[in-house]
Amino acid sequence: MTHRMVLNETSYFGEGAITHLVEEIQKRRFNKALIVTDNDLVKFKVVDKVTQLLDNALLDYDIYDAVVPNPSIDTVQQGLKRFKEVNADYLIAIGGGSPQDTAKAIGIIFNNPQYNDVVSLEGVVPTQKPAVPIIAIPTTAGTAAEVTINYVITDTKQCRKFVCVDPHSIPIVAIIDPLMMASMPPSLKAATGVDALTHAIEGYITKGAWELTDALHLKSIELIGRSLRQSVKGDAQAVETMALAQYIAGMGFSNVGLGLVHGMAHPLGAFYNTPHGVANAILLPHIMAYNADFTDEKYREIARSMGVENVDSLSLKQARDSAINAVFTLNKDVGIPEKLREIGMKQEDIPSLAQAAFNDVCTGGNPRNATLEEIAELYQAIY
């Protein structure tokens, strides 16, 4: 059996990494950037940290700041229109998953115009040309969109989110600088942090997992387990560790897939505009419990990575329970809501949510094959 790994050409990590942006642009002989971001990041001057570098180097750019959480087909198409209007030749994505995903879709469609309806990009699509070059600069420590081959777009007319999987969409450069994440409020640090933990745990137990990605995911779990609480409290070193941890998780899950947590989270975002990290965080420990009997010894290693002591002395069931409880405890400690009703889920929507989750591309990677009825029961139990 063969395995494939797709990663960025170049990535920079650590405080001050953003200073490498200009040299990457100049050595690649790019002419004009379209910066893809959201209005809040402009308003709070996070984008200024990038544009000041570009201005000082006399590098040309324009800004598209209309990205919203759970970006829609229209968001992508308007961004594509702007890219063409300003005659840009590369993209700089600044933000969390939403700007990163929007930039990926823009870049793919510009070079593969037959997909300009956006929705035809759903699933694994054999695009012919790589995306317009993307330099990805995350401002949250969670999505790892800067290193993944995946992106998620919302079809508002059909009230659903769809996942696109395409190696051609991966950014060529990723710059992971904790200084770009300094404006994250504690609630966002918590949600994106458990989002990263979800990526690591689902990537570790997914059907496509293998030794190399297992090593990445376990290291990510370890870093998150020891750093997320302090990151939420504002510790600068912990924020930097979380920035690295979420990237490591992205290196893994991008190449092996995810599972039912993401399958069930995507409809929540489409129906209620729920922040993706919050949805994943609420669902994670419950779906871990649902999957437990289908994971062999892997929960023992998750427990070990989460800091549970004396795991080798525990029975298999005890080890599994300790891993699940460690995630429940972490959620509680960082202020994640406990139930889906707290984020606006409606019981009458459960049949439609369950059908959407059942059809989601991520669900197929789950270690336990979930039926439509079981998914509906899980939504109800977590309600």
Side-chain angles (χ1 to χ4, degrees):
M1 183 177 181
T2 60
H3 301 279
R4 181 190 69 181
M5 291 291 289
V6 181
L7 303 171
N8 310 108
E9 289 181 19
T10 306
S11 297
Y12 296 92
F13 304 89
E15 187 173 317
I18 192 65
T19 59
H20 293 280
L21 174 64
V22 169
E23 68 187 72
E24 284 293 332
I25 295 169
Q26 291 175 335
K27 76 180 183 182
R28 295 171 188 275
R29 299 181 183 274
F30 295 151
N31 293 311
K32 184 172 184 177
L34 179 67
I35 295 174
V36 179
T37 189
D38 64 61
N39 185 256
D40 282 345
L41 291 174
V42 173
K43 182 170 62 176
F44 294 114
K45 300 188 181 303
V46 177
V47 173
D48 284 359
K49 297 175 183 179
V50 173
T51 57
Q52 287 172 3
L53 293 171
L54 300 180
D55 290 337
N56 291 341
L58 302 179
L59 294 170
D60 199 8
Y61 63 89
D62 205 292
I63 297 176
Y64 174 60
D65 63 356
V67 178
V68 295
N70 301 309
S72 67
I73 291 171
D74 183 65
T75 303
V76 173
Q77 291 175 331
Q78 291 302 312
L80 178 64
K81 180 181 178 183
R82 176 70 68 82
F83 185 83
K84 294 176 180 177
E85 288 173 346
V86 303
N87 294 315
D89 64 335
Y90 72 108
L91 295 152
I92 299 177
I94 304 174
S98 295
Q100 310 286 344
D101 287 358
T102 301
K104 289 179 181 181
I106 292 170
I108 284 290
I109 296 170
F110 184 83
N111 280 346
N112 300 271
Q114 64 270 37
Y115 297 102
N116 62 7
D117 66 339
V118 187
V119 72
S120 60
L121 289 168
E122 181 174 6
V124 181
V125 176
T127 55
Q128 297 301 305
K129 296 180 180 179
V132 168
I134 302 169
I135 298 177
I137 305 172
T139 61
T140 63
T143 69
E146 71 276 5
V147 67
T148 68
I149 63 174
N150 316 309
Y151 54 103
V152 183
I153 305 298
T154 301
D155 183 344
T156 55
K157 292 181 180 178
Q158 299 297 321
C159 199
R160 71 187 189 97
K161 295 177 77 169
F162 58 92
V163 181
C164 310
V165 183
D166 186 353
H168 280 153
S169 73
I170 193 168
I172 60 169
V173 177
I175 299 176
I176 299 87
D177 188 331
L179 293 178
M180 294 297 298
M181 304 175 183
S183 64
M184 280 194 296
S187 60
L188 184 59
K189 289 177 181 175
T192 57
V194 185
D195 187 19
L197 182 64
T198 304
H199 293 152
I201 290 176
E202 285 210 293
Y204 182 51
I205 66 174
T206 195
K207 292 174 182 175
W210 60 293
E211 287 85 351
L212 177 55
T213 59
D214 283 356
L216 293 168
H217 290 133
L218 285 174
K219 187 61 180 180
S220 178
I221 294 167
E222 175 195 335
L223 294 174
I224 294 167
R226 75 173 192 231
S227 301
L228 179 55
R229 292 174 177 87
Q230 293 306 115
S231 173
V232 170
K233 293 177 181 178
D235 181 88
Q237 182 57 56
V239 172
E240 184 166 347
T241 300
M242 284 300 304
L244 176 61
Q246 61 91 36
Y247 183 94
I248 294 171
M251 292 170 69
F253 84 81
S254 174
N255 288 284
V256 295
L258 292 163
L260 185 58
V261 178
H262 275 75
M264 290 178 65
H266 289 148
L268 294 170
F271 276 60
Y272 313 113
N273 208 30
T274 305
H276 180 64
V278 175
N280 274 339
I282 295 171
L283 292 166
L284 176 59
H286 298 277
I287 308 306
M288 285 180 67
Y290 170 78
N291 284 329
D293 290 342
F294 294 77
T295 58
D296 297 322
E297 288 280 343
K298 284 198 164 186
Y299 278 28
R300 190 185 303 276
E301 298 310 314
I302 292 172
R304 192 192 313 279
S305 296
M306 292 286 290
V308 176
E309 297 180 352
N310 302 316
V311 293
D312 291 321
S313 66
L314 301 177
S315 68
L316 182 56
K317 183 180 185 309
Q318 289 172 329
R320 288 170 172 170
D321 287 345
S322 67
I324 296 164
N325 289 335
V327 175
F328 270 120
T329 300
L330 180 61
N331 272 1
K332 183 177 180 180
D333 289 349
V334 299
I336 298 297
E338 294 184 9
K339 296 293 184 179
L340 293 173
R341 62 174 174 268
E342 297 177 57
I343 57 171
M345 193 191 94
K346 300 176 182 177
Q347 284 183 297
E348 59 265 31
D349 291 335
I350 287 177
S352 297
L353 291 166
Q355 186 65 61
F358 182 77
N359 294 336
D360 191 275
V361 68
C362 292
T363 298
N366 202 62
R368 177 178 178 178
N369 293 326
T371 67
L372 180 63
E373 293 75 18
E374 287 173 334
I375 295 172
E377 289 170 0
L378 285 166
Y379 275 124
Q380 181 61 55
I382 308 169
Y383 173 76

PDB file of all heavy atoms in Angstrom, residues 137-157:
ATOM      1  N   ILE A 137      -1.439  33.301   5.723  1.00  0.00           N
ATOM      2  CA  ILE A 137      -1.001  33.858   7.004  1.00  0.00           C
ATOM      3  C   ILE A 137      -2.145  33.703   8.004  1.00  0.00           C
ATOM      4  O   ILE A 137      -3.068  34.520   8.036  1.00  0.00           O
ATOM      5  CB  ILE A 137      -0.612  35.340   6.850  1.00  0.00           C
ATOM      6  CG1 ILE A 137       0.448  35.508   5.749  1.00  0.00           C
ATOM      7  CG2 ILE A 137      -0.109  35.897   8.180  1.00  0.00           C
ATOM      8  CD1 ILE A 137       0.743  36.951   5.395  1.00  0.00           C
ATOM      9  N   PRO A 138      -2.147  32.646   8.804  1.00  0.00           N
ATOM     10  CA  PRO A 138      -3.252  32.435   9.739  1.00  0.00           C
ATOM     11  C   PRO A 138      -3.223  33.409  10.910  1.00  0.00           C
ATOM     12  O   PRO A 138      -2.145  33.818  11.368  1.00  0.00           O
ATOM     13  CB  PRO A 138      -3.039  30.997  10.224  1.00  0.00           C
ATOM     14  CG  PRO A 138      -1.577  30.755  10.048  1.00  0.00           C
ATOM     15  CD  PRO A 138      -1.166  31.541   8.828  1.00  0.00           C
ATOM     16  N   THR A 139      -4.406  33.776  11.373  1.00  0.00           N
ATOM     17  CA  THR A 139      -4.534  34.637  12.559  1.00  0.00           C
ATOM     18  C   THR A 139      -5.224  33.905  13.702  1.00  0.00           C
ATOM     19  O   THR A 139      -5.507  34.504  14.738  1.00  0.00           O
ATOM     20  CB  THR A 139      -5.322  35.911  12.222  1.00  0.00           C
ATOM     21  OG1 THR A 139      -6.633  35.550  11.780  1.00  0.00           O
ATOM     22  CG2 THR A 139      -4.619  36.716  11.135  1.00  0.00           C
ATOM     23  N   THR A 140      -5.514  32.640  13.503  1.00  0.00           N
ATOM     24  CA  THR A 140      -6.054  31.791  14.568  1.00  0.00           C
ATOM     25  C   THR A 140      -5.237  30.513  14.626  1.00  0.00           C
ATOM     26  O   THR A 140      -4.630  30.106  13.632  1.00  0.00           O
ATOM     27  CB  THR A 140      -7.533  31.437  14.333  1.00  0.00           C
ATOM     28  OG1 THR A 140      -7.653  30.667  13.124  1.00  0.00           O
ATOM     29  CG2 THR A 140      -8.397  32.681  14.239  1.00  0.00           C
ATOM     30  N   ALA A 141      -5.226  29.874  15.787  1.00  0.00           N
ATOM     31  CA  ALA A 141      -4.475  28.631  15.960  1.00  0.00           C
ATOM     32  C   ALA A 141      -5.465  27.482  16.019  1.00  0.00           C
ATOM     33  O   ALA A 141      -5.813  27.008  17.101  1.00  0.00           O
ATOM     34  CB  ALA A 141      -3.613  28.693  17.214  1.00  0.00           C
ATOM     35  N   GLY A 142      -5.941  27.050  14.848  1.00  0.00           N
ATOM     36  CA  GLY A 142      -6.927  25.985  14.879  1.00  0.00           C
ATOM     37  C   GLY A 142      -7.201  25.295  13.563  1.00  0.00           C
ATOM     38  O   GLY A 142      -7.162  24.078  13.475  1.00  0.00           O
ATOM     39  N   THR A 143      -7.474  26.043  12.501  1.00  0.00           N
ATOM     40  CA  THR A 143      -7.989  25.408  11.289  1.00  0.00           C
ATOM     41  C   THR A 143      -6.919  24.679  10.497  1.00  0.00           C
ATOM     42  O   THR A 143      -7.217  23.714   9.806  1.00  0.00           O
ATOM     43  CB  THR A 143      -8.647  26.443  10.362  1.00  0.00           C
ATOM     44  OG1 THR A 143      -7.644  27.310   9.829  1.00  0.00           O
ATOM     45  CG2 THR A 143      -9.683  27.264  11.104  1.00  0.00           C
ATOM     46  N   ALA A 144      -5.689  25.175  10.540  1.00  0.00           N
ATOM     47  CA  ALA A 144      -4.582  24.628   9.742  1.00  0.00           C
ATOM     48  C   ALA A 144      -4.849  24.706   8.247  1.00  0.00           C
ATOM     49  O   ALA A 144      -4.234  23.986   7.462  1.00  0.00           O
ATOM     50  CB  ALA A 144      -4.265  23.184  10.148  1.00  0.00           C
ATOM     51  N   ALA A 145      -5.756  25.595   7.839  1.00  0.00           N
ATOM     52  CA  ALA A 145      -6.078  25.713   6.418  1.00  0.00           C
ATOM     53  C   ALA A 145      -4.854  26.071   5.594  1.00  0.00           C
ATOM     54  O   ALA A 145      -4.808  25.798   4.396  1.00  0.00           O
ATOM     55  CB  ALA A 145      -7.181  26.760   6.214  1.00  0.00           C
ATOM     56  N   GLU A 146      -3.842  26.672   6.226  1.00  0.00           N
ATOM     57  CA  GLU A 146      -2.649  27.080   5.498  1.00  0.00           C
ATOM     58  C   GLU A 146      -1.800  25.912   5.019  1.00  0.00           C
ATOM     59  O   GLU A 146      -0.920  26.078   4.178  1.00  0.00           O
ATOM     60  CB  GLU A 146      -1.793  28.021   6.362  1.00  0.00           C
ATOM     61  CG  GLU A 146      -1.091  27.368   7.538  1.00  0.00           C
ATOM     62  CD  GLU A 146      -1.968  27.234   8.780  1.00  0.00           C
ATOM     63  OE1 GLU A 146      -3.179  27.566   8.705  1.00  0.00           O
ATOM     64  OE2 GLU A 146      -1.445  26.804   9.818  1.00  0.00           O
ATOM     65  N   VAL A 147      -2.075  24.698   5.537  1.00  0.00           N
ATOM     66  CA  VAL A 147      -1.262  23.543   5.156  1.00  0.00           C
ATOM     67  C   VAL A 147      -2.102  22.390   4.609  1.00  0.00           C
ATOM     68  O   VAL A 147      -1.584  21.334   4.304  1.00  0.00           O
ATOM     69  CB  VAL A 147      -0.405  23.060   6.356  1.00  0.00           C
ATOM     70  CG1 VAL A 147      -1.271  22.495   7.475  1.00  0.00           C
ATOM     71  CG2 VAL A 147       0.633  22.031   5.931  1.00  0.00           C
ATOM     72  N   THR A 148      -3.398  22.606   4.431  1.00  0.00           N
ATOM     73  CA  THR A 148      -4.254  21.512   3.997  1.00  0.00           C
ATOM     74  C   THR A 148      -4.632  21.622   2.526  1.00  0.00           C
ATOM     75  O   THR A 148      -4.570  22.692   1.920  1.00  0.00           O
ATOM     76  CB  THR A 148      -5.556  21.444   4.817  1.00  0.00           C
ATOM     77  OG1 THR A 148      -6.371  22.582   4.511  1.00  0.00           O
ATOM     78  CG2 THR A 148      -5.259  21.397   6.297  1.00  0.00           C
ATOM     79  N   ILE A 149      -5.057  20.498   1.980  1.00  0.00           N
ATOM     80  CA  ILE A 149      -5.536  20.435   0.597  1.00  0.00           C
ATOM     81  C   ILE A 149      -7.063  20.537   0.554  1.00  0.00           C
ATOM     82  O   ILE A 149      -7.667  20.338  -0.500  1.00  0.00           O
ATOM     83  CB  ILE A 149      -5.078  19.138  -0.100  1.00  0.00           C
ATOM     84  CG1 ILE A 149      -5.671  17.903   0.583  1.00  0.00           C
ATOM     85  CG2 ILE A 149      -3.549  19.060  -0.109  1.00  0.00           C
ATOM     86  CD1 ILE A 149      -5.384  16.597  -0.145  1.00  0.00           C
ATOM     87  N   ASN A 150      -7.667  20.867   1.681  1.00  0.00           N
ATOM     88  CA  ASN A 150      -9.125  20.932   1.788  1.00  0.00           C
ATOM     89  C   ASN A 150      -9.586  22.370   1.923  1.00  0.00           C
ATOM     90  O   ASN A 150      -8.866  23.226   2.436  1.00  0.00           O
ATOM     91  CB  ASN A 150      -9.609  20.164   3.027  1.00  0.00           C
ATOM     92  CG  ASN A 150      -8.929  18.828   3.185  1.00  0.00           C
ATOM     93  OD1 ASN A 150      -8.878  18.037   2.267  1.00  0.00           O
ATOM     94  ND2 ASN A 150      -8.367  18.588   4.366  1.00  0.00           N
ATOM     95  N   TYR A 151     -10.802  22.631   1.514  1.00  0.00           N
ATOM     96  CA  TYR A 151     -11.466  23.893   1.829  1.00  0.00           C
ATOM     97  C   TYR A 151     -12.964  23.656   1.835  1.00  0.00           C
ATOM     98  O   TYR A 151     -13.463  22.718   1.199  1.00  0.00           O
ATOM     99  CB  TYR A 151     -11.065  25.027   0.876  1.00  0.00           C
ATOM    100  CG  TYR A 151     -11.242  24.765  -0.602  1.00  0.00           C
ATOM    101  CD1 TYR A 151     -12.306  25.310  -1.306  1.00  0.00           C
ATOM    102  CD2 TYR A 151     -10.312  24.006  -1.318  1.00  0.00           C
ATOM    103  CE1 TYR A 151     -12.454  25.107  -2.673  1.00  0.00           C
ATOM    104  CE2 TYR A 151     -10.454  23.792  -2.680  1.00  0.00           C
ATOM    105  CZ  TYR A 151     -11.527  24.350  -3.354  1.00  0.00           C
ATOM    106  OH  TYR A 151     -11.667  24.134  -4.707  1.00  0.00           O
ATOM    107  N   VAL A 152     -13.682  24.495   2.584  1.00  0.00           N
ATOM    108  CA  VAL A 152     -15.109  24.283   2.820  1.00  0.00           C
ATOM    109  C   VAL A 152     -15.866  25.549   2.439  1.00  0.00           C
ATOM    110  O   VAL A 152     -15.526  26.642   2.887  1.00  0.00           O
ATOM    111  CB  VAL A 152     -15.390  23.923   4.286  1.00  0.00           C
ATOM    112  CG1 VAL A 152     -16.884  23.635   4.489  1.00  0.00           C
ATOM    113  CG2 VAL A 152     -14.556  22.717   4.714  1.00  0.00           C
ATOM    114  N   ILE A 153     -16.899  25.390   1.629  1.00  0.00           N
ATOM    115  CA  ILE A 153     -17.716  26.502   1.156  1.00  0.00           C
ATOM    116  C   ILE A 153     -19.178  26.222   1.509  1.00  0.00           C
ATOM    117  O   ILE A 153     -19.609  25.066   1.531  1.00  0.00           O
ATOM    118  CB  ILE A 153     -17.574  26.699  -0.367  1.00  0.00           C
ATOM    119  CG1 ILE A 153     -16.086  26.871  -0.751  1.00  0.00           C
ATOM    120  CG2 ILE A 153     -18.393  27.892  -0.850  1.00  0.00           C
ATOM    121  CD1 ILE A 153     -15.409  28.080  -0.136  1.00  0.00           C
ATOM    122  N   THR A 154     -19.939  27.274   1.785  1.00  0.00           N
ATOM    123  CA  THR A 154     -21.354  27.133   2.133  1.00  0.00           C
ATOM    124  C   THR A 154     -22.238  27.460   0.937  1.00  0.00           C
ATOM    125  O   THR A 154     -22.070  28.501   0.297  1.00  0.00           O
ATOM    126  CB  THR A 154     -21.714  28.072   3.296  1.00  0.00           C
ATOM    127  OG1 THR A 154     -20.897  27.747   4.427  1.00  0.00           O
ATOM    128  CG2 THR A 154     -23.179  27.919   3.683  1.00  0.00           C
ATOM    129  N   ASP A 155     -23.135  26.540   0.649  1.00  0.00           N
ATOM    130  CA  ASP A 155     -24.174  26.762  -0.364  1.00  0.00           C
ATOM    131  C   ASP A 155     -25.411  27.259   0.383  1.00  0.00           C
ATOM    132  O   ASP A 155     -26.165  26.468   0.946  1.00  0.00           O
ATOM    133  CB  ASP A 155     -24.462  25.455  -1.105  1.00  0.00           C
ATOM    134  CG  ASP A 155     -25.483  25.605  -2.228  1.00  0.00           C
ATOM    135  OD1 ASP A 155     -26.190  26.637  -2.256  1.00  0.00           O
ATOM    136  OD2 ASP A 155     -25.587  24.688  -3.060  1.00  0.00           O
ATOM    137  N   THR A 156     -25.587  28.570   0.421  1.00  0.00           N
ATOM    138  CA  THR A 156     -26.677  29.141   1.226  1.00  0.00           C
ATOM    139  C   THR A 156     -28.053  28.790   0.669  1.00  0.00           C
ATOM    140  O   THR A 156     -29.016  28.681   1.420  1.00  0.00           O
ATOM    141  CB  THR A 156     -26.525  30.665   1.330  1.00  0.00           C
ATOM    142  OG1 THR A 156     -26.444  31.228   0.010  1.00  0.00           O
ATOM    143  CG2 THR A 156     -25.269  31.024   2.104  1.00  0.00           C
ATOM    144  N   LYS A 157     -28.151  28.618  -0.636  1.00  0.00           N
ATOM    145  CA  LYS A 157     -29.451  28.285  -1.238  1.00  0.00           C
ATOM    146  C   LYS A 157     -29.915  26.896  -0.823  1.00  0.00           C
ATOM    147  O   LYS A 157     -31.103  26.667  -0.600  1.00  0.00           O
ATOM    148  CB  LYS A 157     -29.371  28.384  -2.758  1.00  0.00           C
ATOM    149  CG  LYS A 157     -29.194  29.806  -3.281  1.00  0.00           C
ATOM    150  CD  LYS A 157     -29.139  29.845  -4.800  1.00  0.00           C
ATOM    151  CE  LYS A 157     -28.964  31.270  -5.305  1.00  0.00           C
ATOM    152  NZ  LYS A 157     -28.868  31.332  -6.795  1.00  0.00           N
TER     153      LYS A 157
END
